[in-house]
Amino acid sequence: RLNRQAEIALHNLELLEALQAFSEKRKASDESYRPLWETLLLNQFHDILPGTCIARAHDEAISALQQVCDKAEELSGDYLKGDAGLSVLNPLPFARKDIIYYPADKPHQAAEGFRTQFTERLDGQRYLALAGVEQKPFSARRLPLRPALKPEKAEDSPAPAHPFIVSKDRIETPFAVIRKDEDGCFSSFIDKHNGRELCAGRPLNTFVSAEDVPAAWDNWDIDADQFMKLEKDGALLSEELISVGSAELRIRQRRRVCGNSTITQDIVFYADSPLVNFETVLDWKSPHRLLKTVFATRLRSDYSREEIQFGHIKRPTSRNTPYEQAKFEVSCHKYADISEPDYGISILNNAKYGISIDGGTMALTLAKGGMRPDPRGDAGRYAFSYAFLPHRGGFSAETVIQPAYCYNYRPLFSRSRLPEFPLFEVSAENVITEAVKPCEDAKRAFVVRLYEAEGAYTPLRLRLAEGIGKAELCGMDERRIETLREEEGSGSLALCFEPFEIKTLKLYY
């Protein structure tokens, strides 16, 4: 979790330095935060990330990565403070319109055009949920919140109109009709667009667990025989409706898992998205146990896709050959997806890296209680989220990749004078800008790293903001390969990407 958070925090910090340097027409520099990158890279060691170190190494890694996150947040705060009024910065290279949560330490009401709702999240804080805020790529959008006329408490407010229907065993959203069993799991999930039942027998978000005692390497391995021992877990202890309004429906469940551990979840449905979010706090006290959440779906596809850096891997969903049988647990980054030609389901996450997929069943690994070489067995309290995303259309950037980025890269609140226009715009949705950063030689320029994410040959145009002059194509070491020429009178560059190709551009201002 800290590794993912540190990567995102430093991505945002690089972007903020590039945006401010461009606005002020000064050289961009990474001097203030380069040591943070070095600390992150040091801790991307192959025993630190999976938690297979001795106790001291774990403690030092957690401390170091937490300091990276804290320092990056502090430095980002310096860029975001000011007196220019509240705005929201989209740190992603494509437009988005997902929900925004603004800390509600003071009561606010939004200007016309936004739908708002007060809610409480698992951190115990109240938030103002804003729906319908359109955000352009890599740019700020004014957020004209006004102070409320009087202090407002959620319980005193009149019940707002909302698109949800909620009863003890049934939920209806603008996108789905869901039935719950006696344990609070989704025994039926019907997509309202096509009337399709997505649940394949076992309820969605069923927790399962098994003894976790690998044959040879306690905290390194998950053995294949553990999948024969997995049994239903997650006795429901309590359930309550937290909030319902024009933006979201939030239900809180508390369960006992693996004997003496507890898991608390806010299950969140949205008025504008079919995504179902599971915001989770796990109080883990269960040595030698493996915990998963299972989504058994009716989808049928020969392959699944799991994200890796700069792309994804297609893996078989069958278990016919020894080669396939060895893939009982595979790695994923922000998403795993099963798609038919015109429909699919993704499991998104913000902190997990292991999943098992068999046929149409996806089982995300949430906890593993190995006791060697760290005898504490990962005991502690953890916060993470994952999501169930049905999508119309097969696998693509629009249906899977962009939602996974939005799920991880949240908007930033700013009061500084950041650009309200994109520095550049990419005409192809499947070409993702992974980084915008100061150049290594400290010129008045910034570096843009793009990659093709679907595995498709893609010609495109890169439209540049006014004020950007020369453009160079570079290697990943930022050494010039060639100078790129703008198409006459267009203010844009013509580029062409091979499947999964990475390109590095240096844009001068």
Side-chain angles (χ1 to χ4, degrees):
R1 179 175 63 90
L2 284 171
N3 176 74
R4 180 82 61 89
Q5 289 177 346
E7 288 177 336
I8 292 170
L10 290 176
H11 165 280
N12 293 344
L13 187 53
E14 285 184 329
L15 173 64
L16 288 167
E17 167 63 14
L19 288 173
Q20 189 178 87
F22 176 78
S23 298
E24 298 175 354
K25 297 298 183 283
R26 62 167 174 83
K27 294 180 180 179
S29 171
D30 67 353
E31 182 179 357
S32 65
Y33 58 83
R34 179 178 285 270
L36 303 182
W37 271 118
E38 294 170 353
T39 300
L40 172 60
L41 292 172
L42 174 68
N43 284 279
Q44 288 188 329
F45 179 67
H46 70 263
D47 277 330
I48 289 176
L49 286 178
T52 52
C53 287
I54 62 174
R56 177 181 170 184
H58 283 160
D59 292 342
E60 291 183 3
I62 289 170
S63 176
L65 288 172
Q66 187 63 62
Q67 289 177 39
V68 169
C69 293
D70 292 345
K71 185 62 176 178
E73 184 177 348
E74 176 188 334
L75 293 173
S76 294
D78 293 338
Y79 291 101
L80 297 171
K81 66 185 179 183
D83 57 1
L86 182 64
S87 62
V88 60
L89 173 69
N90 177 13
L92 291 175
F94 43 81
R96 63 194 296 182
K97 202 177 178 180
D98 49 337
I99 198 165
I100 295 172
Y101 292 97
Y102 183 69
D105 52 340
K106 297 179 181 178
H108 289 83
Q109 58 184 9
E112 292 184 6
F114 305 148
R115 286 175 285 111
T116 62
Q117 172 188 345
F118 285 100
T119 190
E120 178 188 298
R121 304 178 77 179
L122 281 174
D123 59 8
Q125 302 298 312
R126 291 185 75 228
Y127 292 85
L128 183 65
L130 297 99
V133 182
E134 296 184 3
Q135 304 169 63
K136 295 179 182 178
F138 288 145
S139 52
R141 162 76 187 269
R142 291 295 301 275
L143 204 61
L145 296 184
R146 300 189 298 263
L149 297 179
K150 60 181 180 179
E152 183 179 3
K153 296 182 180 179
E155 60 268 23
D156 296 335
S157 303
H162 60 78
F164 303 102
I165 301 174
V166 188
S167 64
K168 182 178 180 180
D169 61 355
R170 184 179 183 275
I171 299 169
E172 183 171 349
T173 78
F175 301 93
V177 177
I178 302 118
R179 290 198 176 275
K180 298 190 297 178
D181 63 13
E182 63 276 7
D183 291 323
C185 297
F186 301 159
S187 57
S188 173
F189 194 108
I190 297 175
D191 187 321
K192 290 171 70 172
H193 171 68
N194 56 15
R196 181 172 185 171
E197 171 65 73
L198 303 184
C199 184
R202 171 180 279 175
L204 303 178
N205 196 43
T206 294
F207 295 100
V208 296
S209 68
E211 181 185 48
D212 179 35
V213 184
W217 303 98
D218 190 8
N219 220 28
W220 283 263
D221 286 359
I222 296 176
D223 286 354
D225 67 349
Q226 288 176 240
F227 290 82
M228 294 183 284
K229 298 184 286 186
L230 288 168
E231 295 182 348
K232 187 177 183 298
D233 204 337
L236 184 65
L237 302 177
S238 65
E239 180 178 281
E240 62 178 319
L241 177 64
I242 299 299
S243 65
V244 58
S246 60
E248 67 163 39
L249 163 65
R250 183 176 295 262
I251 297 171
R252 183 164 299 165
Q253 295 181 345
R254 187 169 179 268
R255 299 176 181 274
R256 180 178 292 110
V257 292
C258 298
N260 57 350
S261 298
T262 58
I263 193 164
T264 305
Q265 284 194 323
D266 277 3
I267 304 175
V268 189
F269 305 88
Y270 300 101
D272 297 334
S273 170
L275 183 144
V276 182
N277 196 15
F278 299 88
E279 298 179 2
T280 307
V281 172
L282 172 62
D283 189 1
W284 183 248
K285 303 175 183 177
S286 304
H288 290 302
R289 300 294 298 179
L290 180 74
L291 177 66
K292 284 177 165 282
T293 178
V294 178
F295 292 85
T297 77
R298 291 180 180 269
L299 264 68
R300 294 294 177 264
S301 176
D302 292 338
Y303 294 93
S304 64
R305 292 176 175 87
E306 291 82 31
E307 189 191 35
I308 59 172
Q309 187 180 26
F310 297 117
H312 64 265
I313 290 179
K314 288 176 66 176
R315 297 183 173 103
T317 58
S318 54
R319 297 288 182 269
N320 296 325
T321 67
Y323 182 68
E324 294 175 356
Q325 291 164 13
K327 298 180 181 181
F328 55 83
E329 179 87 357
V330 299
S331 63
C332 68
H333 282 209
K334 295 187 289 293
Y335 66 79
D337 179 78
I338 299 177
S339 282
E340 298 170 354
D342 61 352
Y343 196 85
I345 291 175
S346 298
I347 301 297
L348 313 182
N349 78 86
N350 75 346
K352 299 297 173 185
Y353 289 87
I355 196 168
S356 54
I357 297 181
D358 187 357
T361 298
M362 296 183 276
L364 185 69
T365 302
L366 303 182
K368 174 177 163 58
M371 305 291 286
R372 185 171 61 90
D374 186 342
R376 296 172 296 185
D378 265 359
R381 186 177 173 88
Y382 304 98
F384 54 86
S385 297
Y386 56 91
F388 176 77
L389 177 61
H391 54 85
R392 303 177 197 173
F395 175 86
S396 70
E398 295 97 322
T399 58
V400 179
I401 301 169
Q402 290 183 3
Y405 271 88
C406 289
Y407 193 71
N408 280 266
Y409 291 76
R410 305 310 305 163
L412 306 174
F413 296 107
S414 170
R415 293 188 180 274
S416 64
R417 300 182 186 279
L418 294 172
E420 297 185 11
F421 55 86
L423 294 182
F424 58 90
E425 293 183 275
V426 181
S427 65
E429 298 289 343
N430 58 307
V431 173
I432 303 294
T433 304
E434 180 65 21
V436 178
K437 61 180 287 292
C439 55
E440 294 293 318
D441 56 3
K443 302 285 188 180
R444 279 182 46 175
F446 57 87
V447 166
V448 177
R449 184 157 289 129
L450 311 101
Y451 74 99
E452 196 288 314
E454 291 179 356
Y457 175 86
T458 306
L460 61 84
R461 281 179 168 78
L462 188 77
R463 184 172 182 83
L464 305 176
E466 185 177 347
I468 295 178
K470 185 173 67 172
E472 294 177 346
L473 177 66
C474 302
M476 294 188 77
D477 59 3
E478 301 182 18
R479 295 177 181 176
R480 185 179 69 86
I481 297 174
E482 64 174 299
T483 299
L484 301 174
R485 305 295 179 188
E486 288 187 20
E487 294 184 328
E488 187 173 351
S490 70
S492 63
L493 305 172
L495 299 172
C496 188
F497 283 75
E498 297 290 335
F500 298 120
E501 183 181 3
I502 304 168
K503 288 186 186 293
T504 300
L505 306 182
K506 191 173 181 180
L507 304 180
Y508 292 81
Y509 51 87

